[in-house]
Amino acid sequence: MDKLLVDEKDITLLKESEMLHGSYQEMVEMRLLYNAAIKQISTKLEILNEEFNVKNARNPIHHVEARLKSPQSIIKKLNLKSMDISITSAKQLNDIAGIRVVCGYLDDVYNIAEMLLMQTDIKLVKYQDYIKEPNFNGYRSLHLDIEVPVFLSDHIENVIVEVQIRTVAQDFWASLEHDIRYKSDKYIPQDICDDMLQSANEIAEIDLKMQETFKKIQNI
Protein backbone atom coordinates (compact mmCIF):
# COMPACT_ATOMS: atom_id res chain seq x y z
CA MET A 1 0.00 0.00 0.00
CA ASP A 2 2.78 2.47 0.91
CA LYS A 3 4.59 1.75 -2.36
CA LEU A 4 1.40 2.48 -4.32
CA LEU A 5 0.96 5.84 -2.57
CA VAL A 6 4.54 6.86 -3.32
CA ASP A 7 4.12 5.89 -6.98
CA GLU A 8 0.94 7.97 -7.27
CA LYS A 9 2.72 11.00 -5.83
CA ASP A 10 5.61 10.48 -8.23
CA ILE A 11 3.20 10.31 -11.18
CA THR A 12 1.46 13.51 -10.04
CA LEU A 13 4.77 15.36 -9.72
CA LEU A 14 5.86 14.08 -13.12
CA LYS A 15 2.70 15.39 -14.74
CA GLU A 16 3.03 18.74 -12.95
CA SER A 17 6.64 19.13 -14.04
CA GLU A 18 5.62 18.48 -17.65
CA MET A 19 2.97 21.19 -17.36
CA LEU A 20 5.72 23.63 -16.33
CA HIS A 21 8.04 22.46 -19.12
CA GLY A 22 10.61 21.13 -16.69
CA SER A 23 11.98 17.78 -15.64
CA TYR A 24 10.69 15.78 -12.70
CA GLN A 25 13.99 16.38 -10.89
CA GLU A 26 13.70 20.15 -11.39
CA MET A 27 10.22 20.10 -9.90
CA VAL A 28 11.37 18.12 -6.85
CA GLU A 29 14.34 20.45 -6.32
CA MET A 30 12.15 23.56 -6.61
CA ARG A 31 9.69 22.23 -4.05
CA LEU A 32 12.59 21.35 -1.75
CA LEU A 33 13.98 24.89 -1.98
CA TYR A 34 10.72 26.68 -1.23
CA ASN A 35 9.72 24.26 1.52
CA ALA A 36 13.13 24.81 3.14
CA ALA A 37 12.67 28.58 2.94
CA ILE A 38 9.22 28.29 4.56
CA LYS A 39 10.69 26.20 7.39
CA GLN A 40 13.46 28.74 8.02
CA ILE A 41 11.12 31.72 8.18
CA SER A 42 8.64 29.78 10.31
CA THR A 43 11.41 28.90 12.77
CA LYS A 44 12.53 32.52 12.94
CA LEU A 45 8.98 33.63 13.71
CA GLU A 46 8.60 30.95 16.39
CA ILE A 47 11.81 32.10 18.10
CA LEU A 48 10.80 35.78 17.93
CA ASN A 49 7.41 34.94 19.40
CA GLU A 50 8.97 33.00 22.27
CA GLU A 51 11.54 35.74 22.95
CA PHE A 52 8.79 38.38 23.03
CA ASN A 53 6.87 36.24 25.51
CA VAL A 54 9.90 35.97 27.80
CA LYS A 55 10.41 39.73 27.77
CA ASN A 56 6.78 40.88 27.78
CA ALA A 57 4.81 37.94 29.23
CA ARG A 58 2.60 37.55 26.16
CA ASN A 59 2.76 36.26 22.61
CA PRO A 60 2.32 38.81 19.80
CA ILE A 61 1.68 36.05 17.23
CA HIS A 62 -1.69 34.32 17.41
CA HIS A 63 -0.84 31.70 14.78
CA VAL A 64 1.18 31.12 11.60
CA GLU A 65 0.04 29.45 8.37
CA ALA A 66 2.21 28.44 5.42
CA ARG A 67 1.50 27.30 1.89
CA LEU A 68 3.35 26.33 -1.28
CA LYS A 69 1.67 27.50 -4.49
CA SER A 70 0.42 24.61 -6.62
CA PRO A 71 1.71 24.09 -10.18
CA GLN A 72 -1.76 24.99 -11.49
CA SER A 73 -1.68 28.31 -9.60
CA ILE A 74 1.87 28.97 -10.79
CA ILE A 75 0.83 28.42 -14.43
CA LYS A 76 -2.16 30.74 -13.98
CA LYS A 77 0.10 33.45 -12.53
CA LEU A 78 2.65 33.04 -15.33
CA ASN A 79 -0.11 33.35 -17.91
CA LEU A 80 -1.41 36.54 -16.29
CA LYS A 81 2.09 37.99 -16.46
CA SER A 82 2.60 36.73 -20.05
CA MET A 83 5.68 34.80 -18.95
CA ASP A 84 7.04 31.50 -20.28
CA ILE A 85 5.44 28.45 -18.66
CA SER A 86 8.62 27.01 -17.18
CA ILE A 87 10.23 26.28 -13.84
CA THR A 88 12.87 28.93 -14.62
CA SER A 89 10.12 31.53 -15.04
CA ALA A 90 8.30 30.24 -11.95
CA LYS A 91 11.34 31.01 -9.79
CA GLN A 92 10.97 34.67 -10.76
CA LEU A 93 7.63 34.85 -8.93
CA ASN A 94 7.69 36.22 -5.40
CA ASP A 95 4.78 34.25 -3.96
CA ILE A 96 5.49 30.58 -4.64
CA ALA A 97 6.19 30.24 -0.92
CA GLY A 98 3.80 32.07 1.37
CA ILE A 99 3.56 32.56 5.12
CA ARG A 100 0.67 34.25 6.91
CA VAL A 101 1.36 35.61 10.38
CA VAL A 102 -1.74 36.47 12.39
CA CYS A 103 -1.18 38.81 15.36
CA GLY A 104 -3.35 40.02 18.20
CA TYR A 105 -2.96 43.78 17.78
CA LEU A 106 -1.95 46.31 15.14
CA ASP A 107 1.25 47.21 16.98
CA ASP A 108 2.22 43.53 16.97
CA VAL A 109 2.07 43.46 13.18
CA TYR A 110 4.70 46.17 12.83
CA ASN A 111 6.79 44.86 15.74
CA ILE A 112 7.03 41.40 14.18
CA ALA A 113 7.88 42.88 10.77
CA GLU A 114 10.61 45.06 12.29
CA MET A 115 12.15 42.19 14.28
CA LEU A 116 12.12 39.89 11.24
CA LEU A 117 13.72 42.46 8.95
CA MET A 118 16.48 43.19 11.50
CA GLN A 119 17.94 39.71 10.95
CA THR A 120 21.09 39.98 8.87
CA ASP A 121 20.36 37.02 6.60
CA ILE A 122 16.99 38.47 5.57
CA LYS A 123 16.82 40.79 2.55
CA LEU A 124 13.72 42.88 1.92
CA VAL A 125 12.65 42.69 -1.72
CA LYS A 126 9.27 44.42 -1.57
CA TYR A 127 7.20 46.15 1.14
CA GLN A 128 3.46 46.76 0.73
CA ASP A 129 1.43 48.23 3.58
CA TYR A 130 -2.24 47.54 2.92
CA ILE A 131 -3.06 48.53 6.51
CA LYS A 132 -2.12 52.19 6.15
CA GLU A 133 -3.32 52.16 2.54
CA PRO A 134 -6.08 49.51 2.23
CA ASN A 135 -6.81 47.83 -1.09
CA PHE A 136 -9.86 48.98 -3.11
CA ASN A 137 -12.02 46.23 -1.59
CA GLY A 138 -11.04 47.00 2.01
CA TYR A 139 -8.34 44.35 2.31
CA ARG A 140 -5.79 45.14 5.03
CA SER A 141 -2.48 43.36 5.64
CA LEU A 142 1.25 44.05 5.69
CA HIS A 143 3.07 42.25 2.88
CA LEU A 144 6.80 41.58 2.93
CA ASP A 145 8.57 39.84 0.07
CA ILE A 146 11.81 38.69 1.67
CA GLU A 147 14.79 36.75 0.42
CA VAL A 148 16.35 34.08 2.64
CA PRO A 149 19.42 31.90 1.96
CA VAL A 150 18.83 28.15 1.85
CA PHE A 151 21.99 26.22 2.67
CA LEU A 152 22.27 23.03 0.63
CA SER A 153 25.01 20.39 0.64
CA ASP A 154 27.22 22.09 -1.94
CA HIS A 155 25.83 25.60 -2.49
CA ILE A 156 23.52 28.33 -1.22
CA GLU A 157 20.29 29.37 -2.96
CA ASN A 158 18.50 32.62 -2.19
CA VAL A 159 14.73 32.07 -2.12
CA ILE A 160 11.94 34.65 -1.94
CA VAL A 161 9.06 34.13 0.48
CA GLU A 162 5.94 36.28 0.67
CA VAL A 163 5.10 37.05 4.31
CA GLN A 164 1.66 38.47 5.09
CA ILE A 165 1.28 39.90 8.59
CA ARG A 166 -2.15 40.93 9.84
CA THR A 167 -4.37 41.07 12.92
CA VAL A 168 -6.94 38.46 13.90
CA ALA A 169 -9.68 40.90 12.86
CA GLN A 170 -8.08 41.54 9.46
CA ASP A 171 -7.61 37.83 8.90
CA PHE A 172 -11.24 37.14 9.80
CA TRP A 173 -12.47 39.57 7.15
CA ALA A 174 -9.93 38.55 4.50
CA SER A 175 -10.72 34.84 4.86
CA LEU A 176 -14.47 35.31 4.50
CA GLU A 177 -14.10 37.86 1.70
CA HIS A 178 -11.91 35.41 -0.20
CA ASP A 179 -14.57 32.71 0.13
CA ILE A 180 -17.29 35.07 -1.07
CA ARG A 181 -15.39 36.73 -3.93
CA TYR A 182 -12.98 34.12 -5.26
CA LYS A 183 -14.50 30.77 -4.34
CA SER A 184 -17.93 31.61 -5.67
CA ASP A 185 -18.87 31.06 -9.31
CA LYS A 186 -21.55 33.72 -9.04
CA TYR A 187 -21.26 37.33 -10.15
CA ILE A 188 -20.92 39.60 -7.12
CA PRO A 189 -23.13 42.69 -7.59
CA GLN A 190 -21.82 46.12 -6.61
CA ASP A 191 -24.12 46.52 -3.61
CA ILE A 192 -22.65 43.37 -2.02
CA CYS A 193 -19.12 44.64 -2.77
CA ASP A 194 -20.09 47.89 -1.03
CA ASP A 195 -21.39 45.93 1.97
CA MET A 196 -18.11 43.99 2.24
CA LEU A 197 -16.13 47.24 2.04
CA GLN A 198 -18.25 48.73 4.81
CA SER A 199 -17.70 45.63 6.93
CA ALA A 200 -13.94 45.94 6.38
CA ASN A 201 -14.01 49.55 7.56
CA GLU A 202 -16.11 48.69 10.61
CA ILE A 203 -13.76 45.85 11.54
CA ALA A 204 -10.80 48.24 11.16
CA GLU A 205 -12.42 50.61 13.65
CA ILE A 206 -12.88 47.73 16.11
CA ASP A 207 -9.22 46.80 15.61
CA LEU A 208 -8.19 50.31 16.62
CA LYS A 209 -10.51 50.27 19.65
CA MET A 210 -9.10 46.96 20.85
CA GLN A 211 -5.57 48.31 20.47
CA GLU A 212 -6.44 51.38 22.55
CA THR A 213 -8.21 49.24 25.17
CA PHE A 214 -5.12 47.04 25.46
CA LYS A 215 -2.88 50.09 25.94
CA LYS A 216 -5.18 51.45 28.67
CA ILE A 217 -5.05 48.14 30.53
CA GLN A 218 -1.25 48.14 30.33
CA ASN A 219 -1.13 51.61 31.90
CA ILE A 220 -3.38 50.72 34.85
Side-chain angles (χ1 to χ4, degrees), residues 14 16-24 26-27 85-87:
L14 180 59
E16 291 171 346
S17 63
E18 290 173 350
M19 291 166 60
L20 282 168
H21 298 174
S23 69
Y24 169 78
E26 287 177 314
M27 171 67 80
I85 308 302
S86 68
I87 290 179

Side-chain angles (χ1 to χ4, degrees), residues 25-43:
Q25 184 63 26
E26 287 177 314
M27 171 67 80
V28 173
E29 290 177 358
M30 184 179 76
R31 292 175 65 84
L32 166 69
L33 275 176
Y34 285 94
N35 271 319
I38 286 173
K39 289 178 181 178
Q40 288 188 205
I41 300 300
S42 297
T43 299

Side-chain angles (χ1 to χ4, degrees), residues 7-9 26-27 53 65 69 107 114 136 150 180 196:
D7 287 347
E8 288 176 347
K9 290 180 181 178
E26 287 177 314
M27 171 67 80
N53 181 275
E65 300 174 3
K69 190 180 284 293
D107 286 351
E114 182 180 3
F136 71 94
V150 175
I180 293 171
M196 290 193 293

Side-chain angles (χ1 to χ4, degrees), residues 186-218:
K186 299 179 181 179
Y187 167 74
I188 307 298
Q190 187 58 46
D191 62 321
I192 294 180
C193 292
D194 293 340
D195 287 343
M196 290 193 293
L197 177 59
Q198 182 180 348
S199 296
N201 293 333
E202 291 172 353
I203 290 171
E205 291 179 6
I206 293 173
D207 232 351
L208 288 171
K209 288 180 180 179
M210 294 302 293
Q211 176 75 79
E212 290 304 314
T213 299
F214 175 70
K215 288 182 177 179
K216 289 177 182 178
I217 292 174
Q218 283 188 311

Side-chain angles (χ1 to χ4, degrees), residues 35-178:
N35 271 319
I38 286 173
K39 289 178 181 178
Q40 288 188 205
I41 300 300
S42 297
T43 299
K44 288 176 179 294
L45 291 166
E46 181 180 350
I47 292 171
L48 290 173
N49 195 40
E50 291 177 356
E51 180 197 11
F52 194 97
N53 181 275
V54 168
K55 293 181 177 180
N56 301 281
R58 73 177 188 88
N59 292 111
I61 297 177
H62 184 270
H63 68 273
V64 176
E65 300 174 3
R67 65 106 181 98
L68 193 62
K69 190 180 284 293
S70 69
Q72 291 81 5
S73 295
I74 292 173
I75 291 171
K76 183 178 180 181
K77 187 74 172 281
L78 292 174
N79 280 326
L80 286 173
K81 290 179 170 287
S82 300
M83 298 171 66
D84 292 335
I85 308 302
S86 68
I87 290 179
T88 300
S89 295
K91 289 183 178 180
Q92 298 177 39
L93 301 177
N94 287 0
D95 63 344
I96 291 181
I99 294 179
R100 180 177 302 154
V101 186
V102 180
C103 300
Y105 301 99
L106 287 166
D107 286 351
D108 294 333
V109 170
Y110 293 100
N111 287 335
I112 289 296
E114 182 180 3
M115 288 188 289
L116 186 61
L117 293 175
M118 283 177 60
Q119 303 202 6
T120 56
D121 60 341
I122 295 290
K123 177 184 176 183
L124 178 64
V125 176
K126 189 175 183 180
Y127 185 100
Q128 292 177 290
D129 192 339
Y130 293 111
I131 297 176
K132 293 181 179 177
E133 296 183 12
N135 205 353
F136 71 94
N137 61 346
Y139 173 82
R140 289 168 169 82
S141 184
L142 181 64
H143 287 202
L144 309 176
D145 291 350
I146 58 176
E147 189 177 79
V148 60
V150 175
F151 292 82
L152 301 172
S153 60
D154 57 356
H155 70 286
I156 300 171
E157 290 242 14
N158 293 315
V159 180
I160 295 178
V161 178
E162 182 190 63
V163 180
Q164 300 176 358
I165 313 176
R166 60 180 68 155
T167 66
V168 173
Q170 291 164 353
D171 188 60
F172 154 74
W173 181 90
S175 297
L176 295 183
E177 194 270 351
H178 181 77

